[in-house]
Amino acid sequence: MAKAHILMLPMPGQGHVTPLMELSHRLVDHGFEVTFVNTEAHHALVVAALQAAGGTSALAGIHLASISDGVEDDDDRKDIIKLVKAYNRNMPGNLERLVAEMETDGRPKVKWLISDVFVWWSFDVAKRLGIRVASVLPASAACLAISLKIPKLTEDGLINSKGWPERDETFQLAPGIPPLHTSELPWNNVGAAEGQPVIFEMFSRTDRLSALSEMVVCNSFPEAEAGALKLLPNVLPIGPLSSDGEFRKPVGQFLPEDTRCLRWLDAQPDGSVVYVAFGSFTIFDPRQFEELALGLELTGRPFLWVVRPDFTTGELSEAWFDEFQARVAGKGMVVSWCPQQQVLAHRAVGCFVSHCGWNSTMEGVRSGVPFLCWPYFAEQFLDRNYVTEVWRTGLAVSHNADGIVTKEELRSKVEQVVGDAEIRERVRLFKDAASRCVSEGGSSNENFKRLVSLLSE
């Protein structure tokens, strides 16, 4: 007998699509039927990237579907505030229509919605349609813990009712959770200040989980977040998530992966390569971009650098960058996107210069790679503090008085990370702990079985 039909709904964004796609593969492997819902714009990107890699057959039973986000101007999709407003306004009705259309087309009735924690409006849609709800936290457990403590932070006078800090200080929610400065609260570091209320509401509405979601799972594991998970006894860690042991199954990339980098890595010595990737949102101005490039050259080490087409603003001199690439040819490789999980698992990678998005953080931990942390926005500052202050598996860059990470700073920190034997040992211990959790009998594996059992009811 076929198992339940599940509707999988991520927050529209690469860092949200990836873990839910990984979970989808795992559920399909256990006999469930999964329909994965992206916005029309992101659906087109995913399909194009899959076609470039040889087609959609590798999805192995995951059905791709799409709904409109209501955004008419593509330039508005670069503004996260406008995006979130459009999602909340347009997507609930479009999701209802999709469910009705699937039933009209003869697809099995949707029994479960597994939704991103931050897509709070979808819980209400599911309840109206008689669909049961489970949810996935794509960020750290500590991020959710801080979100759920917003009323307490307000009561204590740390923030006001609109989420802005009332005091300039560092606080710690509980032992084992990284300390965080009030200037780095996740909802106050996303886009322009005038859009902050939209993001603050998104974080605040996570309180609907306890009322509407029958189970919440997260991409984490107890050794990584013991303190946060103690505050969230109803959140089950099932991480570090992966689609399969060899990282061969596609995870919904928005850009085609340049797999030539894997062959390039094969030719590099063990632990020698500096891998540099800042996720799908980070944007550098030309001055910082040039300092980063020169810093990589200055290290004298082989490097693999992911430079998205929109990674820097338009004022960067293409001639300068072409000259740089010609100068470092053979020593460094620049790609527009890459199969990051396979890269991090490669024996040649010795350091990960990262924005510290949670997926990247878990992927680095799982692969045993030391970090040089360079957060950009949202909860990435909290993730950095896990790496540098709790796990002590890496260091963080420092900015100068002009807000620039200089080439000398980058070179110095890379050498410190690569040369620190204590960091390497802690990285190895964390890798082993992560492996035990997802292995047969491990805590994450057992929690995943609990999810499968619930979805089979």
Side-chain angles (χ1 to χ4, degrees), residues 149-323:
K149 289 291 184 180
I150 284 173
K152 176 66 173 171
L153 298 177
T154 307
E155 180 185 323
D156 291 345
L158 201 66
I159 60 174
N160 62 28
S161 60
K162 297 181 179 179
W164 293 110
E166 290 287 293
R167 301 200 298 267
D168 181 26
E169 65 180 60
T170 297
F171 71 100
Q172 187 174 23
L173 206 60
I177 295 180
L180 188 68
H181 195 270
T182 50
S183 65
E184 296 176 336
L185 289 163
W187 49 82
N188 293 337
N189 287 284
V190 182
E194 57 266 25
Q196 184 267 1
V198 177
I199 304 300
F200 182 55
E201 181 190 30
M202 186 177 76
F203 280 91
S204 301
R205 297 296 288 269
T206 55
D207 62 0
R208 301 176 69 77
L209 284 173
S210 57
L212 296 175
S213 182
E214 296 184 42
M215 182 178 286
V216 183
V217 296
C218 68
N219 183 18
S220 191
F221 60 104
E223 285 83 351
E225 294 203 83
L229 291 168
K230 188 175 181 180
L231 292 182
L232 302 168
N234 296 322
V235 175
L236 299 180
I238 60 171
L241 274 168
S242 64
S243 56
D244 63 292
E246 289 74 40
F247 314 125
R248 301 292 183 185
K249 295 180 180 178
V251 293
Q253 301 287 13
F254 293 171
L255 292 171
E257 297 172 332
D258 188 340
T259 56
R260 295 176 304 151
C261 64
L262 298 175
R263 294 189 294 276
W264 180 84
L265 286 170
D266 288 341
Q268 309 305 319
D270 289 3
S272 65
V273 174
V274 180
Y275 172 56
V276 187
F278 291 89
S280 58
F281 267 109
T282 304
I283 296 175
F284 281 180
D285 66 34
R287 182 183 172 194
Q288 182 62 86
F289 184 93
E290 291 185 12
E291 284 291 314
L292 170 55
L294 294 173
L296 291 174
E297 184 179 9
L298 205 57
T299 67
R301 293 180 173 274
F303 64 85
L304 173 61
W305 184 14
V306 178
V307 180
R308 301 186 327 267
D310 61 345
F311 183 57
T312 187
T313 50
E315 296 85 2
L316 181 75
S317 166
E318 289 187 18
W320 179 91
F321 193 45
D322 289 342
E323 180 185 327

Side-chain angles (χ1 to χ4, degrees), residues 19 28 43 143 145 249 366 394:
V28 166
H43 174 80
C143 181
K249 295 180 180 178
R366 181 182 60 209

Side-chain angles (χ1 to χ4, degrees), residues 82-96:
K82 290 181 179 178
L83 272 178
V84 173
K85 284 182 176 179
Y87 298 159
N88 296 348
R89 182 173 60 251
N90 299 305
M91 290 177 67
N94 293 338
L95 182 63
E96 284 198 46

